[in-house]
Every structure is written in C-alpha cells, then in structure tokens.
Amino acid sequence: MPTLVLSPHESRKSRPEATLKLLEKPPLWRAVLAVMMAVLALVGFWPSPVDAPAQGGIDSALAFLHAHGIPGWINYSFVEKSANVALFIPFGAATSLAYPEKRWWQNAALGLAVSGCMELGQLLFLHNRFSSWVDVVTNSGGSLIGVLLAVAAVHSYQQKQAQRFNQR
C-alpha cells in the first residue's frame, strides 16, 4: 500500500481521510493495474524461466536452512508456488481498488483470466517455459487474497470514517 507523505501544515488527524481518498481513486488504480499487467506480461512471456538465474542461490539458501532445522517440505517447489501467490496479491488488490463497483469474485476472476492467458501463451509460444495448471491455481489464489485484503482495508477505513463522523 502506498505511503502518504503529508505536508507540515496537515494534521495527523487528516491522515485517515487522505488514505481513504487515495483508496477511492479508481482511475489511479486502473493506471497502477495497467503497469502491473505489463510487468506480469514481461514475467510471463520472458523466453526462459525468470527464476533460472537465481535457482542456484535459492537451492543453496534452502540447503543452509534445512541444515539448520527448517523442515524439508519447504523446498524449491514450495518457494516457487509461494512466489506465484505473492506475485498476484498486489494485482488482486489493485484490481479491487480499480473496479470497486464490481463484486469481489469478479475482480478475483480477472486474476484467473490473466494467469490462464499467461499459461496458455507459454504453452503455445514459449518452448523453454513450462505452463502449468498449478501456476494458474496459485496465481489465482494470490489474486483472490489481494482482492479480499483490499475489500477489507476499504471497509475498515469506511467504518472508521463513519465512527469519526458519528462522534462529531
């Protein structure tokens, strides 16, 4: 979530109002979403797996962690799936903020559609990449988490705003 920098003449009391205004700017979030989609397209359609240069370092880090008591089920596959979820959480949040008039499941479905298109593109056009339905599931899960977090954040800010208004 972006951090707001308030000018010296603004009071701390106005921070929630400023944050709520930022959350309620769909055109801004649509621009953020467009940038995110461009980044996802770069990641998804890069000719070789984007984690290939880091694989050795990740393997070494996991070996070190396993030697120091981290369970064996935290392996490369787990890290890769977790990264897929984490990659789509901001996407889901931006989608929810960009299209607040849509239902949560409609916004989450955009993550499913984008992920499905990425994996289909990899299957059809990128022979050095490996498309996987598991990636679609993990990406979609990340998108869903992001959508629900954004919905909860907006709802929380609106509740606090209503409480402040009622206290006046």
Side-chain angles (χ1 to χ4, degrees), residues 25-37 93-102 107:
K25 291 191 181 282
L28 168 69
W29 290 105
R30 288 180 183 136
V32 169
L33 187 60
V35 170
M36 287 181 168
M37 289 179 83
T95 301
S96 186
L97 295 170
Y99 298 100
E101 71 281 0
K102 301 290 184 189
N107 284 325

Side-chain angles (χ1 to χ4, degrees), residues 46-112:
W46 200 256
S48 60
V50 292
D51 61 341
Q55 188 169 0
I58 294 170
D59 286 336
S60 297
L62 287 170
F64 174 82
L65 292 171
H66 291 149
H68 289 85
I70 297 296
W73 57 266
I74 299 178
N75 55 21
Y76 194 86
S77 177
F78 176 82
V79 171
E80 182 182 25
K81 288 172 181 59
S82 298
N84 283 348
V85 172
L87 183 65
F88 270 77
I89 289 174
F91 179 84
T95 301
S96 186
L97 295 170
Y99 298 100
E101 71 281 0
K102 301 290 184 189
R103 295 185 174 162
W104 66 268
W105 59 268
Q106 291 172 309
N107 284 325
L110 182 60
L112 173 65

Side-chain angles (χ1 to χ4, degrees), residues 38-54:
V39 170
L40 287 173
L42 281 173
V43 170
F45 295 110
W46 200 256
S48 60
V50 292
D51 61 341

Side-chain angles (χ1 to χ4, degrees), residues 85-149:
V85 172
L87 183 65
F88 270 77
I89 289 174
F91 179 84
T95 301
S96 186
L97 295 170
Y99 298 100
E101 71 281 0
K102 301 290 184 189
R103 295 185 174 162
W104 66 268
W105 59 268
Q106 291 172 309
N107 284 325
L110 182 60
L112 173 65
V114 167
S115 179
C117 288
M118 288 171 58
E119 296 301 317
L120 181 61
Q122 288 176 7
L123 176 68
L124 296 175
F125 306 115
L126 300 172
H127 302 293
N128 291 334
R129 298 292 300 265
F130 309 101
S131 65
S132 167
W133 65 269
V134 173
D135 287 353
V136 174
V137 171
T138 55
N139 294 344
S140 300
S143 180
L144 175 63
I145 291 167
V147 166
L148 295 177
L149 287 173

